[in-house]
Amino acid sequence: MENTGTDFNKTHTATDTSENDKTIAILAYITIIGLVAAFVMNNEKKQEFASYHIRQAVGLCVTGLALGVIGMIPILGWVINFLGVFVLVYMWVMAFMNALNGKEAPAPILGKKYEVWFAGVQQ
């Protein structure tokens, strides 16, 4: 009877860990504060799923920052910024859905580049 309880506890702990990974990954996409919190939460264990989504979220934040800088340029910058925000929101929604579904898939358009550019984050 004790072996059954021990086996259940081991299975339950493994489930908690995967849910913890998923929670950290989802948190990374919710505001800059969420990204910082996810980075701190994942700093000790360095869980691969959470680290992957933290790198993707950092990429999305840097892209948003770049769009903000481009938006300071009159007329042409405004147009690029306006269109870029829609693309950025699309990329964010798709990456967020990947985290919710437990998939380790890149964000559309620039996700593969984020994997290369931010490979050193959370390693």
Side-chain angles (χ1 to χ4, degrees), residues 58-84:
V58 167
L60 290 169
C61 286
V62 170
T63 303
L65 181 64
L67 279 173
V69 170
I70 290 171
M72 290 184 211
I73 302 168
I75 302 171
L76 182 60
W78 299 337
V79 172
I80 292 170
N81 187 17
F82 181 75
L83 297 174

PDB file of all heavy atoms in Angstrom, residues 58-84:
ATOM      1  N   VAL A  58      11.582  37.689 -24.782  1.00  0.00           N
ATOM      2  CA  VAL A  58      12.610  38.731 -24.854  1.00  0.00           C
ATOM      3  C   VAL A  58      12.703  39.252 -26.289  1.00  0.00           C
ATOM      4  O   VAL A  58      12.783  40.460 -26.525  1.00  0.00           O
ATOM      5  CB  VAL A  58      13.979  38.204 -24.363  1.00  0.00           C
ATOM      6  CG1 VAL A  58      15.102  39.150 -24.727  1.00  0.00           C
ATOM      7  CG2 VAL A  58      13.955  37.975 -22.867  1.00  0.00           C
ATOM      8  N   GLY A  59      12.656  38.348 -27.252  1.00  0.00           N
ATOM      9  CA  GLY A  59      12.688  38.753 -28.658  1.00  0.00           C
ATOM     10  C   GLY A  59      11.515  39.646 -29.028  1.00  0.00           C
ATOM     11  O   GLY A  59      11.682  40.657 -29.721  1.00  0.00           O
ATOM     12  N   LEU A  60      10.342  39.295 -28.548  1.00  0.00           N
ATOM     13  CA  LEU A  60       9.166  40.122 -28.833  1.00  0.00           C
ATOM     14  C   LEU A  60       9.286  41.502 -28.186  1.00  0.00           C
ATOM     15  O   LEU A  60       8.912  42.509 -28.789  1.00  0.00           O
ATOM     16  CB  LEU A  60       7.900  39.417 -28.360  1.00  0.00           C
ATOM     17  CG  LEU A  60       7.494  38.177 -29.161  1.00  0.00           C
ATOM     18  CD1 LEU A  60       6.382  37.419 -28.448  1.00  0.00           C
ATOM     19  CD2 LEU A  60       7.069  38.553 -30.562  1.00  0.00           C
ATOM     20  N   CYS A  61       9.834  41.552 -26.979  1.00  0.00           N
ATOM     21  CA  CYS A  61      10.025  42.848 -26.304  1.00  0.00           C
ATOM     22  C   CYS A  61      11.031  43.715 -27.047  1.00  0.00           C
ATOM     23  O   CYS A  61      10.821  44.918 -27.214  1.00  0.00           O
ATOM     24  CB  CYS A  61      10.484  42.638 -24.862  1.00  0.00           C
ATOM     25  SG  CYS A  61       9.180  42.075 -23.783  1.00  0.00           S
ATOM     26  N   VAL A  62      12.126  43.120 -27.493  1.00  0.00           N
ATOM     27  CA  VAL A  62      13.137  43.874 -28.237  1.00  0.00           C
ATOM     28  C   VAL A  62      12.559  44.359 -29.570  1.00  0.00           C
ATOM     29  O   VAL A  62      12.817  45.496 -29.986  1.00  0.00           O
ATOM     30  CB  VAL A  62      14.411  43.025 -28.449  1.00  0.00           C
ATOM     31  CG1 VAL A  62      15.369  43.679 -29.424  1.00  0.00           C
ATOM     32  CG2 VAL A  62      15.094  42.779 -27.116  1.00  0.00           C
ATOM     33  N   THR A  63      11.749  43.537 -30.213  1.00  0.00           N
ATOM     34  CA  THR A  63      11.097  43.949 -31.453  1.00  0.00           C
ATOM     35  C   THR A  63      10.156  45.112 -31.206  1.00  0.00           C
ATOM     36  O   THR A  63      10.113  46.070 -31.987  1.00  0.00           O
ATOM     37  CB  THR A  63      10.331  42.764 -32.080  1.00  0.00           C
ATOM     38  OG1 THR A  63      11.243  41.684 -32.297  1.00  0.00           O
ATOM     39  CG2 THR A  63       9.697  43.160 -33.403  1.00  0.00           C
ATOM     40  N   GLY A  64       9.405  45.066 -30.122  1.00  0.00           N
ATOM     41  CA  GLY A  64       8.523  46.176 -29.767  1.00  0.00           C
ATOM     42  C   GLY A  64       9.290  47.453 -29.481  1.00  0.00           C
ATOM     43  O   GLY A  64       8.881  48.549 -29.880  1.00  0.00           O
ATOM     44  N   LEU A  65      10.416  47.312 -28.805  1.00  0.00           N
ATOM     45  CA  LEU A  65      11.266  48.471 -28.533  1.00  0.00           C
ATOM     46  C   LEU A  65      11.805  49.063 -29.835  1.00  0.00           C
ATOM     47  O   LEU A  65      11.806  50.286 -30.016  1.00  0.00           O
ATOM     48  CB  LEU A  65      12.419  48.071 -27.613  1.00  0.00           C
ATOM     49  CG  LEU A  65      13.381  49.171 -27.207  1.00  0.00           C
ATOM     50  CD1 LEU A  65      12.656  50.220 -26.367  1.00  0.00           C
ATOM     51  CD2 LEU A  65      14.555  48.588 -26.439  1.00  0.00           C
ATOM     52  N   ALA A  66      12.235  48.200 -30.746  1.00  0.00           N
ATOM     53  CA  ALA A  66      12.736  48.672 -32.043  1.00  0.00           C
ATOM     54  C   ALA A  66      11.639  49.388 -32.828  1.00  0.00           C
ATOM     55  O   ALA A  66      11.883  50.422 -33.464  1.00  0.00           O
ATOM     56  CB  ALA A  66      13.288  47.509 -32.855  1.00  0.00           C
ATOM     57  N   LEU A  67      10.427  48.861 -32.772  1.00  0.00           N
ATOM     58  CA  LEU A  67       9.306  49.529 -33.438  1.00  0.00           C
ATOM     59  C   LEU A  67       9.035  50.895 -32.821  1.00  0.00           C
ATOM     60  O   LEU A  67       8.702  51.850 -33.524  1.00  0.00           O
ATOM     61  CB  LEU A  67       8.041  48.675 -33.365  1.00  0.00           C
ATOM     62  CG  LEU A  67       7.924  47.557 -34.387  1.00  0.00           C
ATOM     63  CD1 LEU A  67       6.703  46.697 -34.079  1.00  0.00           C
ATOM     64  CD2 LEU A  67       7.847  48.108 -35.792  1.00  0.00           C
ATOM     65  N   GLY A  68       9.169  50.993 -31.518  1.00  0.00           N
ATOM     66  CA  GLY A  68       8.989  52.284 -30.853  1.00  0.00           C
ATOM     67  C   GLY A  68      10.013  53.310 -31.292  1.00  0.00           C
ATOM     68  O   GLY A  68       9.690  54.482 -31.513  1.00  0.00           O
ATOM     69  N   VAL A  69      11.258  52.877 -31.454  1.00  0.00           N
ATOM     70  CA  VAL A  69      12.312  53.780 -31.921  1.00  0.00           C
ATOM     71  C   VAL A  69      12.052  54.195 -33.365  1.00  0.00           C
ATOM     72  O   VAL A  69      12.176  55.370 -33.720  1.00  0.00           O
ATOM     73  CB  VAL A  69      13.702  53.118 -31.771  1.00  0.00           C
ATOM     74  CG1 VAL A  69      14.784  53.927 -32.462  1.00  0.00           C
ATOM     75  CG2 VAL A  69      14.031  52.926 -30.305  1.00  0.00           C
ATOM     76  N   ILE A  70      11.656  53.243 -34.201  1.00  0.00           N
ATOM     77  CA  ILE A  70      11.346  53.550 -35.603  1.00  0.00           C
ATOM     78  C   ILE A  70      10.159  54.509 -35.682  1.00  0.00           C
ATOM     79  O   ILE A  70      10.102  55.381 -36.550  1.00  0.00           O
ATOM     80  CB  ILE A  70      11.068  52.257 -36.397  1.00  0.00           C
ATOM     81  CG1 ILE A  70      12.367  51.478 -36.570  1.00  0.00           C
ATOM     82  CG2 ILE A  70      10.435  52.551 -37.746  1.00  0.00           C
ATOM     83  CD1 ILE A  70      12.198  50.089 -37.133  1.00  0.00           C
ATOM     84  N   GLY A  71       9.215  54.369 -34.759  1.00  0.00           N
ATOM     85  CA  GLY A  71       8.038  55.230 -34.741  1.00  0.00           C
ATOM     86  C   GLY A  71       8.342  56.693 -34.464  1.00  0.00           C
ATOM     87  O   GLY A  71       7.503  57.554 -34.696  1.00  0.00           O
ATOM     88  N   MET A  72       9.547  56.993 -34.008  1.00  0.00           N
ATOM     89  CA  MET A  72       9.922  58.389 -33.766  1.00  0.00           C
ATOM     90  C   MET A  72      10.281  59.123 -35.057  1.00  0.00           C
ATOM     91  O   MET A  72      10.350  60.348 -35.062  1.00  0.00           O
ATOM     92  CB  MET A  72      11.117  58.445 -32.810  1.00  0.00           C
ATOM     93  CG  MET A  72      10.788  58.045 -31.411  1.00  0.00           C
ATOM     94  SD  MET A  72      12.226  58.269 -30.372  1.00  0.00           S
ATOM     95  CE  MET A  72      11.989  56.985 -29.194  1.00  0.00           C
ATOM     96  N   ILE A  73      10.501  58.376 -36.115  1.00  0.00           N
ATOM     97  CA  ILE A  73      10.820  58.984 -37.404  1.00  0.00           C
ATOM     98  C   ILE A  73       9.514  59.467 -38.034  1.00  0.00           C
ATOM     99  O   ILE A  73       8.575  58.684 -38.196  1.00  0.00           O
ATOM    100  CB  ILE A  73      11.518  57.974 -38.341  1.00  0.00           C
ATOM    101  CG1 ILE A  73      12.795  57.451 -37.689  1.00  0.00           C
ATOM    102  CG2 ILE A  73      11.792  58.583 -39.705  1.00  0.00           C
ATOM    103  CD1 ILE A  73      13.402  56.263 -38.389  1.00  0.00           C
ATOM    104  N   PRO A  74       9.440  60.735 -38.409  1.00  0.00           N
ATOM    105  CA  PRO A  74       8.189  61.255 -38.977  1.00  0.00           C
ATOM    106  C   PRO A  74       7.793  60.550 -40.279  1.00  0.00           C
ATOM    107  O   PRO A  74       8.628  60.127 -41.056  1.00  0.00           O
ATOM    108  CB  PRO A  74       8.501  62.729 -39.241  1.00  0.00           C
ATOM    109  CG  PRO A  74       9.651  63.049 -38.367  1.00  0.00           C
ATOM    110  CD  PRO A  74      10.434  61.775 -38.234  1.00  0.00           C
ATOM    111  N   ILE A  75       6.549  60.432 -40.493  1.00  0.00           N
ATOM    112  CA  ILE A  75       5.821  59.902 -41.629  1.00  0.00           C
ATOM    113  C   ILE A  75       6.178  58.444 -41.948  1.00  0.00           C
ATOM    114  O   ILE A  75       5.390  57.562 -41.670  1.00  0.00           O
ATOM    115  CB  ILE A  75       5.951  60.824 -42.869  1.00  0.00           C
ATOM    116  CG1 ILE A  75       5.432  62.212 -42.498  1.00  0.00           C
ATOM    117  CG2 ILE A  75       5.163  60.252 -44.047  1.00  0.00           C
ATOM    118  CD1 ILE A  75       5.680  63.276 -43.508  1.00  0.00           C
ATOM    119  N   LEU A  76       7.335  58.163 -42.535  1.00  0.00           N
ATOM    120  CA  LEU A  76       7.683  56.784 -42.898  1.00  0.00           C
ATOM    121  C   LEU A  76       7.780  55.908 -41.648  1.00  0.00           C
ATOM    122  O   LEU A  76       7.300  54.775 -41.640  1.00  0.00           O
ATOM    123  CB  LEU A  76       8.996  56.745 -43.691  1.00  0.00           C
ATOM    124  CG  LEU A  76       9.437  55.361 -44.159  1.00  0.00           C
ATOM    125  CD1 LEU A  76       8.381  54.753 -45.073  1.00  0.00           C
ATOM    126  CD2 LEU A  76      10.777  55.437 -44.865  1.00  0.00           C
ATOM    127  N   GLY A  77       8.391  56.421 -40.608  1.00  0.00           N
ATOM    128  CA  GLY A  77       8.489  55.682 -39.352  1.00  0.00           C
ATOM    129  C   GLY A  77       7.135  55.415 -38.738  1.00  0.00           C
ATOM    130  O   GLY A  77       6.898  54.343 -38.173  1.00  0.00           O
ATOM    131  N   TRP A  78       6.240  56.377 -38.853  1.00  0.00           N
ATOM    132  CA  TRP A  78       4.892  56.196 -38.326  1.00  0.00           C
ATOM    133  C   TRP A  78       4.159  55.075 -39.052  1.00  0.00           C
ATOM    134  O   TRP A  78       3.473  54.268 -38.441  1.00  0.00           O
ATOM    135  CB  TRP A  78       4.093  57.481 -38.433  1.00  0.00           C
ATOM    136  CG  TRP A  78       4.670  58.638 -37.660  1.00  0.00           C
ATOM    137  CD1 TRP A  78       5.510  58.576 -36.586  1.00  0.00           C
ATOM    138  CD2 TRP A  78       4.447  60.009 -37.914  1.00  0.00           C
ATOM    139  NE1 TRP A  78       5.818  59.837 -36.159  1.00  0.00           N
ATOM    140  CE2 TRP A  78       5.184  60.750 -36.961  1.00  0.00           C
ATOM    141  CE3 TRP A  78       3.712  60.708 -38.862  1.00  0.00           C
ATOM    142  CZ2 TRP A  78       5.201  62.137 -36.913  1.00  0.00           C
ATOM    143  CZ3 TRP A  78       3.716  62.091 -38.813  1.00  0.00           C
ATOM    144  CH2 TRP A  78       4.453  62.793 -37.858  1.00  0.00           C
ATOM    145  N   VAL A  79       4.312  55.039 -40.363  1.00  0.00           N
ATOM    146  CA  VAL A  79       3.658  53.992 -41.164  1.00  0.00           C
ATOM    147  C   VAL A  79       4.226  52.622 -40.804  1.00  0.00           C
ATOM    148  O   VAL A  79       3.474  51.659 -40.596  1.00  0.00           O
ATOM    149  CB  VAL A  79       3.812  54.281 -42.680  1.00  0.00           C
ATOM    150  CG1 VAL A  79       3.320  53.113 -43.509  1.00  0.00           C
ATOM    151  CG2 VAL A  79       3.079  55.559 -43.055  1.00  0.00           C
ATOM    152  N   ILE A  80       5.557  52.534 -40.737  1.00  0.00           N
ATOM    153  CA  ILE A  80       6.191  51.259 -40.382  1.00  0.00           C
ATOM    154  C   ILE A  80       5.767  50.830 -38.981  1.00  0.00           C
ATOM    155  O   ILE A  80       5.461  49.650 -38.744  1.00  0.00           O
ATOM    156  CB  ILE A  80       7.724  51.377 -40.487  1.00  0.00           C
ATOM    157  CG1 ILE A  80       8.129  51.552 -41.949  1.00  0.00           C
ATOM    158  CG2 ILE A  80       8.417  50.165 -39.876  1.00  0.00           C
ATOM    159  CD1 ILE A  80       9.589  51.908 -42.149  1.00  0.00           C
ATOM    160  N   ASN A  81       5.731  51.763 -38.063  1.00  0.00           N
ATOM    161  CA  ASN A  81       5.321  51.468 -36.695  1.00  0.00           C
ATOM    162  C   ASN A  81       3.874  50.987 -36.655  1.00  0.00           C
ATOM    163  O   ASN A  81       3.552  50.008 -35.985  1.00  0.00           O
ATOM    164  CB  ASN A  81       5.504  52.697 -35.813  1.00  0.00           C
ATOM    165  CG  ASN A  81       5.254  52.408 -34.345  1.00  0.00           C
ATOM    166  OD1 ASN A  81       5.245  51.263 -33.914  1.00  0.00           O
ATOM    167  ND2 ASN A  81       5.038  53.448 -33.581  1.00  0.00           N
ATOM    168  N   PHE A  82       3.000  51.666 -37.365  1.00  0.00           N
ATOM    169  CA  PHE A  82       1.580  51.306 -37.386  1.00  0.00           C
ATOM    170  C   PHE A  82       1.387  49.880 -37.890  1.00  0.00           C
ATOM    171  O   PHE A  82       0.685  49.078 -37.271  1.00  0.00           O
ATOM    172  CB  PHE A  82       0.805  52.300 -38.263  1.00  0.00           C
ATOM    173  CG  PHE A  82      -0.662  52.030 -38.328  1.00  0.00           C
ATOM    174  CD1 PHE A  82      -1.487  52.345 -37.262  1.00  0.00           C
ATOM    175  CD2 PHE A  82      -1.226  51.454 -39.457  1.00  0.00           C
ATOM    176  CE1 PHE A  82      -2.844  52.086 -37.313  1.00  0.00           C
ATOM    177  CE2 PHE A  82      -2.582  51.190 -39.519  1.00  0.00           C
ATOM    178  CZ  PHE A  82      -3.395  51.509 -38.446  1.00  0.00           C
ATOM    179  N   LEU A  83       2.026  49.549 -39.001  1.00  0.00           N
ATOM    180  CA  LEU A  83       1.897  48.193 -39.553  1.00  0.00           C
ATOM    181  C   LEU A  83       2.628  47.162 -38.696  1.00  0.00           C
ATOM    182  O   LEU A  83       2.152  46.041 -38.509  1.00  0.00           O
ATOM    183  CB  LEU A  83       2.437  48.163 -40.978  1.00  0.00           C
ATOM    184  CG  LEU A  83       1.695  49.043 -41.993  1.00  0.00           C
ATOM    185  CD1 LEU A  83       2.407  49.029 -43.325  1.00  0.00           C
ATOM    186  CD2 LEU A  83       0.251  48.600 -42.127  1.00  0.00           C
ATOM    187  N   GLY A  84       3.782  47.563 -38.155  1.00  0.00           N
ATOM    188  CA  GLY A  84       4.573  46.657 -37.336  1.00  0.00           C
ATOM    189  C   GLY A  84       3.885  46.249 -36.057  1.00  0.00           C
ATOM    190  O   GLY A  84       4.070  45.124 -35.571  1.00  0.00           O
TER     191      GLY A  84
END
